[in-house]
mmCIF file of all heavy atoms in Angstrom:
data_model
loop_
_atom_site.group_PDB
_atom_site.id
_atom_site.type_symbol
_atom_site.label_atom_id
_atom_site.label_comp_id
_atom_site.label_asym_id
_atom_site.label_seq_id
_atom_site.Cartn_x
_atom_site.Cartn_y
_atom_site.Cartn_z
ATOM 1 N N LEU G 331 13.138 7.109 8.233
ATOM 2 C CA LEU G 331 11.732 7.030 7.874
ATOM 3 C C LEU G 331 11.375 5.602 7.436
ATOM 4 O O LEU G 331 10.302 5.101 7.767
ATOM 5 C CB LEU G 331 11.420 8.019 6.757
ATOM 6 C CG LEU G 331 11.517 9.525 7.173
ATOM 7 C CD1 LEU G 331 11.340 10.389 5.937
ATOM 8 C CD2 LEU G 331 10.475 9.862 8.243
ATOM 9 N N ASP G 332 12.268 4.949 6.690
ATOM 10 C CA ASP G 332 12.011 3.572 6.310
ATOM 11 C C ASP G 332 11.980 2.653 7.529
ATOM 12 O O ASP G 332 11.181 1.701 7.579
ATOM 13 C CB ASP G 332 13.112 3.095 5.345
ATOM 14 C CG ASP G 332 12.825 3.417 3.890
ATOM 15 O OD1 ASP G 332 11.596 3.381 3.531
ATOM 16 O OD2 ASP G 332 13.751 3.683 3.131
ATOM 17 N N GLN G 333 12.804 2.963 8.548
ATOM 18 C CA GLN G 333 12.733 2.161 9.775
ATOM 19 C C GLN G 333 11.407 2.312 10.442
ATOM 20 O O GLN G 333 10.833 1.334 11.028
ATOM 21 C CB GLN G 333 13.870 2.570 10.714
ATOM 22 C CG GLN G 333 15.257 2.086 10.290
ATOM 23 C CD GLN G 333 16.339 2.597 11.233
ATOM 24 O OE1 GLN G 333 16.105 3.355 12.145
ATOM 25 N NE2 GLN G 333 17.585 2.162 10.976
ATOM 26 N N LEU G 334 10.848 3.525 10.413
ATOM 27 C CA LEU G 334 9.503 3.732 10.989
ATOM 28 C C LEU G 334 8.443 2.996 10.217
ATOM 29 O O LEU G 334 7.507 2.428 10.784
ATOM 30 C CB LEU G 334 9.205 5.238 11.034
ATOM 31 C CG LEU G 334 10.022 6.034 12.051
ATOM 32 C CD1 LEU G 334 9.871 7.537 11.812
ATOM 33 C CD2 LEU G 334 9.548 5.701 13.481
ATOM 34 N N LEU G 335 8.608 2.928 8.912
ATOM 35 C CA LEU G 335 7.665 2.133 8.099
ATOM 36 C C LEU G 335 7.738 0.664 8.510
ATOM 37 O O LEU G 335 6.738 -0.023 8.608
ATOM 38 C CB LEU G 335 7.988 2.288 6.608
ATOM 39 C CG LEU G 335 7.739 3.657 6.022
ATOM 40 C CD1 LEU G 335 8.216 3.714 4.548
ATOM 41 C CD2 LEU G 335 6.288 4.042 6.080
ATOM 42 N N ASP G 336 8.942 0.206 8.796
ATOM 43 C CA ASP G 336 9.115 -1.201 9.219
ATOM 44 C C ASP G 336 8.486 -1.430 10.618
ATOM 45 O O ASP G 336 8.074 -2.546 10.905
ATOM 46 C CB ASP G 336 10.599 -1.539 9.280
ATOM 47 C CG ASP G 336 11.244 -1.649 7.925
ATOM 48 O OD1 ASP G 336 10.493 -1.803 6.923
ATOM 49 O OD2 ASP G 336 12.493 -1.522 7.847
ATOM 50 N N LEU G 337 8.357 -0.357 11.435
ATOM 51 C CA LEU G 337 7.714 -0.498 12.725
ATOM 52 C C LEU G 337 6.172 -0.549 12.615
ATOM 53 O O LEU G 337 5.492 -0.827 13.625
ATOM 54 C CB LEU G 337 8.066 0.711 13.619
ATOM 55 C CG LEU G 337 9.383 0.723 14.369
ATOM 56 C CD1 LEU G 337 9.503 1.984 15.196
ATOM 57 C CD2 LEU G 337 9.501 -0.510 15.255
ATOM 58 N N GLY G 338 5.683 -0.263 11.423
ATOM 59 C CA GLY G 338 4.252 -0.309 11.238
ATOM 60 C C GLY G 338 3.612 1.027 10.916
ATOM 61 O O GLY G 338 2.391 1.163 10.911
ATOM 62 N N VAL G 339 4.426 2.062 10.689
ATOM 63 C CA VAL G 339 3.902 3.389 10.352
ATOM 64 C C VAL G 339 3.339 3.350 8.915
ATOM 65 O O VAL G 339 3.992 2.820 8.015
ATOM 66 C CB VAL G 339 4.966 4.494 10.483
ATOM 67 C CG1 VAL G 339 4.468 5.811 9.974
ATOM 68 C CG2 VAL G 339 5.379 4.605 11.941
ATOM 69 N N ASP G 340 2.158 3.898 8.726
ATOM 70 C CA ASP G 340 1.480 3.879 7.424
ATOM 71 C C ASP G 340 1.372 5.254 6.812
ATOM 72 O O ASP G 340 1.025 5.372 5.640
ATOM 73 C CB ASP G 340 0.094 3.308 7.572
ATOM 74 C CG ASP G 340 0.076 1.883 8.175
ATOM 75 O OD1 ASP G 340 0.458 0.963 7.468
ATOM 76 O OD2 ASP G 340 -0.263 1.766 9.362
ATOM 77 N N ALA G 341 1.608 6.313 7.571
ATOM 78 C CA ALA G 341 1.542 7.669 7.052
ATOM 79 C C ALA G 341 2.437 8.582 7.903
ATOM 80 O O ALA G 341 2.667 8.309 9.070
ATOM 81 C CB ALA G 341 0.112 8.175 7.090
ATOM 82 N N PHE G 342 2.883 9.633 7.282
ATOM 83 C CA PHE G 342 3.744 10.639 7.949
ATOM 84 C C PHE G 342 3.115 12.037 7.790
ATOM 85 O O PHE G 342 2.516 12.331 6.719
ATOM 86 C CB PHE G 342 5.126 10.683 7.352
ATOM 87 C CG PHE G 342 5.963 9.464 7.633
ATOM 88 C CD1 PHE G 342 6.338 8.618 6.603
ATOM 89 C CD2 PHE G 342 6.403 9.166 8.921
ATOM 90 C CE1 PHE G 342 7.100 7.510 6.835
ATOM 91 C CE2 PHE G 342 7.184 8.058 9.170
ATOM 92 C CZ PHE G 342 7.522 7.194 8.135
ATOM 93 N N ILE G 343 3.280 12.834 8.806
ATOM 94 C CA ILE G 343 3.125 14.294 8.647
ATOM 95 C C ILE G 343 4.466 14.863 8.937
ATOM 96 O O ILE G 343 4.968 14.871 10.064
ATOM 97 C CB ILE G 343 2.104 14.846 9.664
ATOM 98 C CG1 ILE G 343 0.725 14.211 9.501
ATOM 99 C CG2 ILE G 343 2.004 16.395 9.492
ATOM 100 C CD1 ILE G 343 -0.266 14.580 10.582
ATOM 101 N N LEU G 344 5.114 15.313 7.884
ATOM 102 C CA LEU G 344 6.483 15.865 8.000
ATOM 103 C C LEU G 344 6.414 17.374 8.092
ATOM 104 O O LEU G 344 5.389 17.992 7.717
ATOM 105 C CB LEU G 344 7.326 15.495 6.757
ATOM 106 C CG LEU G 344 7.477 13.955 6.506
ATOM 107 C CD1 LEU G 344 8.426 13.758 5.331
ATOM 108 C CD2 LEU G 344 7.942 13.240 7.738
ATOM 109 N N ALA G 345 7.451 18.000 8.612
ATOM 110 C CA ALA G 345 7.509 19.417 8.729
ATOM 111 C C ALA G 345 8.939 19.862 8.772
ATOM 112 O O ALA G 345 9.853 19.102 9.073
ATOM 113 C CB ALA G 345 6.783 19.875 10.035
ATOM 114 N N GLY G 346 9.210 21.115 8.439
ATOM 115 C CA GLY G 346 10.517 21.692 8.475
ATOM 116 C C GLY G 346 10.428 23.217 8.481
ATOM 117 O O GLY G 346 9.421 23.775 8.025
ATOM 118 N N ILE G 347 11.468 23.847 8.992
ATOM 119 C CA ILE G 347 11.513 25.326 9.110
ATOM 120 C C ILE G 347 12.581 25.841 8.145
ATOM 121 O O ILE G 347 13.728 25.416 8.222
ATOM 122 C CB ILE G 347 11.827 25.754 10.547
ATOM 123 C CG1 ILE G 347 10.769 25.250 11.526
ATOM 124 C CG2 ILE G 347 11.982 27.256 10.626
ATOM 125 C CD1 ILE G 347 9.404 25.905 11.377
ATOM 126 N N PRO G 348 12.250 26.817 7.283
ATOM 127 C CA PRO G 348 10.919 27.341 6.984
ATOM 128 C C PRO G 348 10.101 26.353 6.144
ATOM 129 O O PRO G 348 10.651 25.562 5.396
ATOM 130 C CB PRO G 348 11.212 28.641 6.248
ATOM 131 C CG PRO G 348 12.519 28.388 5.565
ATOM 132 C CD PRO G 348 13.294 27.490 6.491
ATOM 133 N N HIS G 349 8.777 26.406 6.287
ATOM 134 C CA HIS G 349 7.923 25.423 5.662
ATOM 135 C C HIS G 349 8.037 25.417 4.138
ATOM 136 O O HIS G 349 7.940 24.372 3.504
ATOM 137 C CB HIS G 349 6.455 25.691 6.072
ATOM 138 C CG HIS G 349 6.183 25.353 7.495
ATOM 139 N ND1 HIS G 349 6.649 26.077 8.551
ATOM 140 C CD2 HIS G 349 5.436 24.381 8.065
ATOM 141 C CE1 HIS G 349 6.205 25.584 9.677
ATOM 142 N NE2 HIS G 349 5.448 24.517 9.427
ATOM 143 N N LEU G 350 8.204 26.561 3.549
ATOM 144 C CA LEU G 350 8.183 26.682 2.088
ATOM 145 C C LEU G 350 9.420 26.017 1.462
ATOM 146 O O LEU G 350 9.282 25.056 0.683
ATOM 147 C CB LEU G 350 8.169 28.144 1.678
ATOM 148 C CG LEU G 350 8.195 28.441 0.163
ATOM 149 C CD1 LEU G 350 6.984 27.813 -0.539
ATOM 150 C CD2 LEU G 350 8.242 29.961 -0.101
ATOM 151 N N GLU G 351 10.626 26.470 1.813
ATOM 152 C CA GLU G 351 11.839 25.927 1.229
ATOM 153 C C GLU G 351 12.045 24.451 1.612
ATOM 154 O O GLU G 351 12.504 23.631 0.810
ATOM 155 C CB GLU G 351 13.047 26.750 1.638
ATOM 156 C CG GLU G 351 13.108 28.123 0.984
ATOM 157 C CD GLU G 351 12.342 29.175 1.734
ATOM 158 O OE1 GLU G 351 11.543 28.819 2.648
ATOM 159 O OE2 GLU G 351 12.513 30.368 1.395
#
Side-chain angles (χ1 to χ4, degrees):
L331 293 173
D332 273 325
Q333 287 177 356
L334 289 167
L335 294 175
D336 291 340
L337 278 181
V339 173
D340 302 287
F342 291 112
I343 302 171
L344 304 184
I347 300 292
H349 289 70
L350 178 61
E351 289 86 348

